[in-house]
């Protein structure tokens, strides 16, 4: 299993954009990872199985404009606007 990153509101909490702990932790993992490794009672984890090459973008300095640029590149701009719209 290759752990690729934290996603959605889980990342917002991890990077200090919100103090609300997510009910479910969203993580990105290699799409070749075994699905059963993420079935546990606590913490509740929602894995997103993604090709490693799709996550070869990013920047250490996080901001909403860059987030939307990367969301557009990945084809998830509509979802990103729905999730983080309050910050835009």
């Amino acid at each position: 299993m290759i752990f690729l990153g934290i996603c959605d509101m889980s990342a917002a909490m991890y990077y200090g954009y919100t103090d609300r702990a997510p009910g479910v932790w969203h993580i990105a993992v290699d799409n070749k990872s075994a699905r059963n490794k993420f079935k546990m009672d606590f913490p509740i984890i929602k894995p997103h199985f993604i090709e490693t090459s799709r996550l070869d973008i990013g920047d250490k300095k996080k901001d909403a404009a860059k987030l939307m640029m990367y969301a557009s590149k990945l084809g998830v701009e509509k979802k990103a606007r729905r999730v983080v719209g309050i910050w835009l």
Side-chain angles (χ1 to χ4, degrees):
M1 170 184 67
I2 298 175
F3 173 73
L4 301 173
I6 304 172
C7 308
D8 296 330
M9 292 308 289
S10 302
M13 188 260 195
Y14 180 82
Y15 287 108
Y17 291 112
T18 182
D19 59 355
R20 295 176 64 188
V24 176
W25 284 89
H26 293 264
I27 61 171
V29 295
D30 189 304
N31 63 343
K32 295 180 180 115
S33 298
R35 272 46 178 172
N36 63 350
K37 290 187 176 192
F38 304 99
K39 293 181 180 176
M40 57 184 77
D41 293 330
F42 187 82
I44 300 171
I45 295 176
K46 168 70 172 143
H48 298 270
F49 298 95
I50 300 172
E51 293 178 33
T52 307
S53 62
R54 287 199 64 197
L55 293 180
D56 198 20
I57 62 172
D59 194 322
K60 297 285 184 199
K61 295 183 179 183
K62 311 279 190 259
D63 67 37
K66 289 180 184 174
L67 170 70
M68 294 313 299
M69 181 183 71
Y70 298 132
S72 179
K73 287 182 180 182
L74 292 171
V76 294
E77 189 173 0
K78 186 176 180 179
K79 179 178 181 181
R81 285 192 186 283
R82 188 180 74 244
V83 173
V84 299
I86 195 167
W87 299 332
L88 299 176

